[in-house]
Amino acid sequence: MSATRYRRFLKLCEEWPRDETKKARDLGTFLRQRVASAFREGENTQLADPDKCDQMYESLARINGNVYRQRFPRVRDTSFTGVTVEECRVLLSGSVQSMDEEKKGLWKSLMERFSSKSPEDGPEKAPEK
């Protein structure tokens, strides 16, 4: 039975996309490493908890199959910040240092939007009349 589980996880790893822009932070790469460590002996690996293994596989398969994206469609392809998917990819890619001036402006505006005021700024005073 362990051989079947191993083959199912291998097939899932083949189907799972890799994001080359994220290098060591990619979920697909992490998944491949975890499968390799969990099934060190390949098909001959004895699992301590087969039910938990099956549950984990089913969860990952649902994520990979976009079950939740289809069940809960998004109205817009933006987040609460108003940043588009492509802008998020640029920000999360790790290549923030190599962005051109236009994208640096976006980064600065996002940082200003979500950063809190420093304590030395003090509270703002109302304009005097």
Side-chain angles (χ1 to χ4, degrees):
M1 199 64 186
S2 182
T4 305
R5 287 183 181 93
Y6 177 65
R7 282 188 231 117
R8 287 178 21 185
F9 269 102
L10 283 181
K11 186 172 189 243
L12 181 67
C13 286
E14 288 174 7
E15 293 173 357
W16 201 284
R18 279 191 184 164
D19 189 352
E20 298 299 328
T21 62
K22 292 185 182 173
K23 301 187 182 179
R25 301 178 297 126
D26 181 41
L27 183 59
T29 303
F30 178 76
L31 177 64
R32 287 167 180 79
Q33 291 169 350
R34 286 293 304 259
V35 169
S37 67
F39 291 96
R40 285 191 179 115
E41 299 173 21
E43 294 181 355
N44 299 325
T45 303
Q46 296 298 318
L47 299 171
D49 192 356
D51 292 332
K52 186 175 180 182
C53 180
D54 290 341
Q55 182 183 14
M56 192 175 300
Y57 171 80
E58 293 300 327
S59 296
L60 290 169
R62 283 192 301 269
I63 292 170
N64 190 43
N66 285 327
V67 170
Y68 299 107
R69 184 176 185 173
Q70 293 166 0
R71 189 178 296 169
F72 306 105
R74 296 179 63 129
V75 177
R76 298 184 189 112
D77 282 336
T78 61
S79 64
F80 73 97
T81 62
V83 178
T84 65
V85 174
E86 188 56 38
E87 291 168 335
C88 281
R89 281 195 185 113
V90 169
L91 292 172
L92 294 174
S93 69
S95 63
V96 175
Q97 293 81 14
S98 64
M99 290 190 304
D100 59 340
E101 287 303 314
E102 177 186 47
K103 291 178 184 166
K104 282 185 182 176
L106 170 67
W107 176 251
K108 286 181 182 177
S109 67
L110 285 173
M111 290 302 291
E112 289 171 1
R113 186 182 303 175
F114 294 107
S115 66
S116 61
K117 291 183 179 183
S118 63
E120 61 196 24
D121 288 344
E124 289 185 18
K125 294 181 181 178
E128 295 180 20
K129 294 182 183 180

